[in-house]
Amino acid sequence: MSILEVHGVSRRFGGLQALSDVSFSVPQGQIVGLIGPNGAGKTTFFSTLVGLIRPDKGSIRLDGESVVGLKPHKVAHRGMTKTFQNVALFGESSVLDNVLTAGLLRHDVDAAREEALKCLDRVGLRAIAHQQAGLLSFPERARVELARALCTGPKVLLLDEVMAALNPVEMQEVMDLIRSLRDDGITLLVVEHHMRAIMTICDRVLVLNFGKLLADGTPQQVANDPQVVEAYLGKSMEKRA
Ligand SMILES: Nc1ncnc2c1ncn2[C@@H]1O[C@H](COP(=O)(O)OP(=O)(O)OP(=O)(O)O)[C@@H](O)[C@H]1O
Ligand SMILES: [Mg+2]
């Protein structure tokens, strides 16, 4: 059985069909890339999966059970959560408290603190656990966001551009982290514009264009698909590489 099964998901915003009949399923433990031009519907799709946006049509099954219509914290409790492309932390609070609050979904405060420290360790931020979150750099805030998502104990983790603004060393660290999460049995869907990262870490790549699934295959198949090159890759491959 697939850990995630999506069938016929559509969502309209006024006159804009943001998602159009999106279907695919993901076996447990895969790293799946989700790519496509700006405005293709990637973030909208992630938001729909985790219950922030309700689909007009379609089904979403996590580990065999429907999650459509559930609130985000319920979906997270079932085991699927996402990071936010525009990270919004509690700026006045410590890094640790920002992560700890996510852990309260499954744990009492003491256990959530333990778990939060483990997650901060995992993303390489243990040393700054007691700093004020509002003072962090953008790449650090993106890592806190990742630790927050991890602290909910996900089976399926959706990462929305967590590598944006990272330098090559930091990017490599996040790529290693993604692989190690998969080795722990977590299934990952990864939205990124960094094609080199996508091509390196993903078992499979989905391409969205104008809300429609344009391609679904291995990184190699997708990179050589003329429709994908036309819609996305051809335009500025150099810039993204
Ligand atoms: N809440 C909303 N209300 C109305 N339109 C929206 C809403 N959210 C997204 N859209 C529109 O839906 C389309 C898809 O946006 P989305 O943010 O999902 O794209 P994306 O693929 O994540 O783009 P990017 O690569 O720039 O992050 C865009 O045209 C966007 O303006
Ligand atoms: Mg987006």
Side-chain angles (χ1 to χ4, degrees):
M1 188 178 66
S2 303
I3 186 92
L4 179 64
E5 289 172 81
V6 177
H7 190 76
V9 165
S10 298
R11 171 70 204 218
R12 175 179 281 276
F13 293 122
L16 177 82
Q17 192 67 47
L19 293 172
S20 187
D21 202 19
V22 177
S23 300
F24 65 92
S25 57
V26 184
Q28 195 239 331
Q30 237 180 17
I31 303 176
V32 180
L34 178 61
I35 63 172
N38 294 116
K42 305 179 296 295
T43 297
T44 302
F45 181 61
F46 273 9
S47 297
T48 306
L49 288 181
V50 300
L52 285 161
I53 292 175
R54 201 181 169 126
D56 298 325
K57 276 194 285 187
S59 65
I60 301 167
R61 299 178 82 80
L62 175 65
D63 220 358
E65 292 190 47
S66 175
V67 293
V68 172
L70 297 185
K71 293 263 182 333
H73 69 278
K74 295 272 185 204
V75 179
H77 200 258
R78 295 272 188 96
M80 180 157 61
T81 193
K82 81 175 192 78
T83 61
F84 283 84
Q85 184 174 357
N86 300 310
V87 179
L89 302 175
F90 302 106
E92 303 282 305
S93 305
S94 70
V95 168
L96 178 59
D97 284 348
N98 269 275
V99 179
L100 187 158
T101 47
L104 293 174
L105 190 70
R106 287 183 196 280
H107 307 283
D108 64 25
V109 177
D110 289 340
R113 181 174 292 109
E114 285 295 303
E115 193 56 33
L117 286 168
K118 271 191 221 156
C119 293
L120 282 169
D121 206 22
R122 197 101 200 240
V123 303
L125 291 183
R126 178 73 180 77
I128 61 162
H130 299 288
Q131 277 189 25
Q132 196 181 328
L135 303 177
L136 302 184
S137 67
F138 182 81
E140 285 169 333
R141 278 190 281 144
R143 278 172 189 241
V144 177
E145 179 64 14
L146 187 52
R148 277 174 59 81
L150 272 181
C151 209
T152 65
K155 296 179 196 165
V156 176
L157 179 56
L158 315 177
L159 303 179
D160 198 355
E161 300 202 31
V162 291
M163 295 185 216
L166 299 192
N167 69 35
V169 173
E170 292 164 336
M171 208 189 295
Q172 186 59 51
E173 285 168 1
V174 173
M175 282 162 49
D176 292 343
L177 174 64
I178 290 172
R179 286 202 182 98
S180 84
L181 294 173
R182 185 264 291 283
D183 293 343
D184 288 351
I186 298 178
T187 305
L188 292 113
L189 267 66
V190 181
V191 165
E192 272 307 328
H193 286 289
H194 289 287
M195 284 313 298
R196 194 170 47 79
I198 287 286
M199 293 295 164
T200 309
I201 57 171
C202 294
D203 303 306
R204 172 180 172 199
V205 178
L206 308 174
V207 186
L208 264 187
N209 193 34
F210 294 114
K212 289 202 178 80
L213 204 56
L214 186 69
D216 175 354
T218 63
Q220 213 53 46
Q221 284 166 342
V222 163
N224 292 321
D225 182 325
Q227 272 189 298
V228 177
V229 173
E230 165 70 23
Y232 181 56
L233 296 179
K235 293 188 179 134
S236 55
M237 191 69 181
E238 310 77 31
K239 203 176 81 192
R240 295 196 186 94

